[in-house]
Amino acid sequence: MRFDLLAGTISLPLASVPHAPVVLVFDSGLGGLTVLAEVQRARPDARVVYAADDAAFPYGDLTETALVERVIAVMDRLITRHAPDLVVIACNTASTLVLPALRRQFAIPFVGTVPPIKPAAAATRSGLVSVLATPGTVRRDYTRDLIETYAGACAVTLVGATRLAGFAEAELAGAPVKDADLAAEIAPCFVRAGEARTDVVVLACTHYPLLLRRFERLAPWPVTWIDPAPAIARRMAQLLGPAIPEVGGAPAVAAFTGGDRITPALRGALAARGLDAVTVEAMPLRRQ
């Protein structure tokens, strides 16, 4: 699979969108909220639907076959209900496994998410770069291909954090984890090699920027943290074309497929991001 480092597999720009576009931002849970903010900033005229397939969270627990089938089924329902002009897959795991199938199934553009390894390699001065990801992303051949292609001159440490996505979900739900637990998850990112030490960390899961302020406080030394969300929004804007002047977007909507973890604290966090309308479009996961 060929990836565009502006955050997605290559797609042609839309011929024209004569109305304020509808953009669907999709993730397994709450990580895509980091992308949502950049999407809204890039296209304030858009009507945005944030869709969280929380009934199947975390996607890393599914087999590849089950994940592809699940995302296609959920996407079919979402596209039928919301008629988006463009879909942002704000999830590394879903992007790498499901984008080709989504493009075959649906005749609308999809923008995916890939670890921003190329900008990390350009930013490092020490040559020591860490990629903080989920175990699934660490295992993917595409991650290693990106490193070989764009960071061959760097020493890259792959860190598959097993609990961080869940910690980010808990944080927004009003149950933040202890500093020590967070520090233990990010500690392998910080590597010394003689006088050199890690100076760039790639956030290769959209959940992780939700915890960025705490990462910065708990890090043993300052590093550059690279968040892919701005590049994803730029790619979306390229595909949609110019914004419609003097048009404000309709209120954003959040749709969950499960809703079991929607606490008052989470509703407050969603409202702070412009998601006052929260719906549950129940779609239980049938585990294989």
Side-chain angles (χ1 to χ4, degrees):
M1 188 186 306
R2 190 158 61 105
F3 279 91
D4 175 356
L5 268 292
L6 281 177
T9 51
I10 294 172
S11 299
L12 295 175
L14 296 175
S16 66
V17 180
H19 53 269
V22 178
V23 176
L24 175 68
V25 179
F26 176 83
D27 187 26
S28 60
L30 302 175
L33 293 174
T34 61
V35 178
L36 172 73
E38 296 295 333
V39 165
Q40 291 171 317
R41 187 174 294 113
R43 286 301 300 256
D45 60 321
R47 182 171 74 84
V48 181
V49 178
Y50 182 79
D53 185 18
D54 60 320
F57 178 83
Y59 276 171
D61 288 350
L62 303 181
T63 66
E64 293 188 4
T65 299
L67 177 58
V68 172
E69 291 176 354
R70 172 68 182 183
V71 173
I72 289 176
V74 174
M75 193 59 61
D76 184 60
R77 177 182 291 194
L78 291 168
I79 289 174
T80 299
R81 291 192 178 186
H82 300 286
D85 295 292
L86 179 145
V87 178
V88 175
I89 305 296
C91 172
N92 282 274
T93 301
S95 293
T96 57
L97 292 178
V98 191
L99 269 175
L102 288 172
R103 289 199 170 93
R104 289 192 297 269
Q105 187 84 7
F106 305 104
I108 59 175
F110 288 84
V111 175
T113 306
V114 298
I117 290 169
K118 184 178 181 180
T124 184
R125 295 296 175 264
S126 70
L128 299 181
V129 172
S130 291
V131 178
L132 183 61
T134 63
T137 297
V138 165
R139 289 194 299 268
R140 301 284 177 247
D141 288 340
Y142 89 94
T143 303
R144 299 176 190 281
D145 289 344
L146 288 174
I147 292 170
E148 182 178 346
T149 301
Y150 296 106
C154 302
V156 179
T157 299
L158 289 168
V159 179
T162 59
R163 301 185 293 168
L164 277 183
F167 287 171
E169 298 263 328
E171 183 100 355
L172 284 183
V177 301
K178 296 177 181 178
D179 282 354
D181 292 330
L182 271 188
E185 290 289 299
I186 67 172
C189 294
F190 294 86
V191 177
R192 293 181 184 272
E195 296 297 317
R197 60 186 188 181
T198 301
D199 63 351
V200 176
V201 178
V202 171
L203 298 173
C205 172
T206 53
H207 278 79
Y208 298 169
L210 293 170
L211 298 166
L212 181 55
R213 290 185 180 178
R214 295 186 67 188
F215 290 169
E216 291 172 337
R217 178 168 57 82
L218 295 170
W221 58 78
V223 297
T224 298
W225 303 87
I226 298 188
D227 176 1
I232 296 169
R234 287 196 299 273
R235 182 58 175 155
M236 173 209 68
Q238 288 174 351
L239 291 174
L240 288 177
I244 299 176
E246 300 180 1
V247 174
V253 175
F256 291 77
T257 60
D260 292 344
R261 293 186 289 271
I262 300 178
T263 63
L266 177 55
R267 285 185 180 274
L270 293 172
R273 291 166 170 80
L275 295 166
D276 294 293
V278 179
T279 65
V280 176
E281 300 176 5
M283 194 169 180
L285 173 67
R286 294 178 176 84
R287 295 194 177 272
Q288 299 182 355

